[in-house]
């Protein structure tokens, strides 16, 4: 199964995006940003891969200054791999 993370340097902006998506009826999670992904510390918005275009459009429509990028999480059994998505 694949998921994405929207990674921010600001906790406020992370929570803002999660609340915006939830108010639109999309189910997302706020999760700790995995350290083993080599990402900045903090929290991220985790969402299913089929929601990628919706989340990307939300980020493009608001002035998120601390957005650090998208990461694809590929779950393979008990291991996760992380890939930056441009």
């Amino acid at each position: 199964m694949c998921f994405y993370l929207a990674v921010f340097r600001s906790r406020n902006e992370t929570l803002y995006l999660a609340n915006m998506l939830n108010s639109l009826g999309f189910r997302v999670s706020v999760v700790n940003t995995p350290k083993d992904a080599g990402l900045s510390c903090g929290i991220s918005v985790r969402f299913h891969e089929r929601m990628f275009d919706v989340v990307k459009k939300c980020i493009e429509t608001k002035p998120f200054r601390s957005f650090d990028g998208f990461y694809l999480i590929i779950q393979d059994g008990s291991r996760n791999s992380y890939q930056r998505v441009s």
Side-chain angles (χ1 to χ4, degrees):
M1 187 169 276
C2 297
F3 292 93
Y4 282 94
L5 290 178
V7 178
F8 293 84
R9 292 181 303 275
S10 163
R11 296 174 75 83
N12 288 338
E13 289 190 2
T14 304
L15 296 173
Y16 183 83
L17 176 65
N19 289 333
M20 179 177 23
L21 291 166
N22 283 326
S23 71
L24 294 172
F26 296 104
R27 198 173 87 176
V28 299
S29 302
V30 175
V31 298
N32 290 326
T33 305
K35 290 181 183 180
D36 55 344
L39 310 176
S40 59
C41 62
I43 57 177
S44 299
V45 178
R46 182 178 185 236
F47 56 94
H48 195 274
E49 63 183 329
R50 66 178 169 243
M51 294 176 47
F52 182 78
D53 291 334
V54 171
V55 176
K56 185 175 179 181
K57 186 169 184 126
C58 286
I59 289 174
E60 290 171 350
T61 62
K62 298 291 179 184
F64 290 107
R65 292 187 176 102
S66 71
F67 178 64
D68 198 31
F70 291 109
Y71 288 82
L72 175 64
I73 305 170
I74 302 170
Q75 296 178 323
D76 182 24
S78 63
R79 296 189 69 203
N80 292 337
S81 62
Y82 304 90
Q83 298 173 352
R84 186 172 177 93
V85 179
S86 50

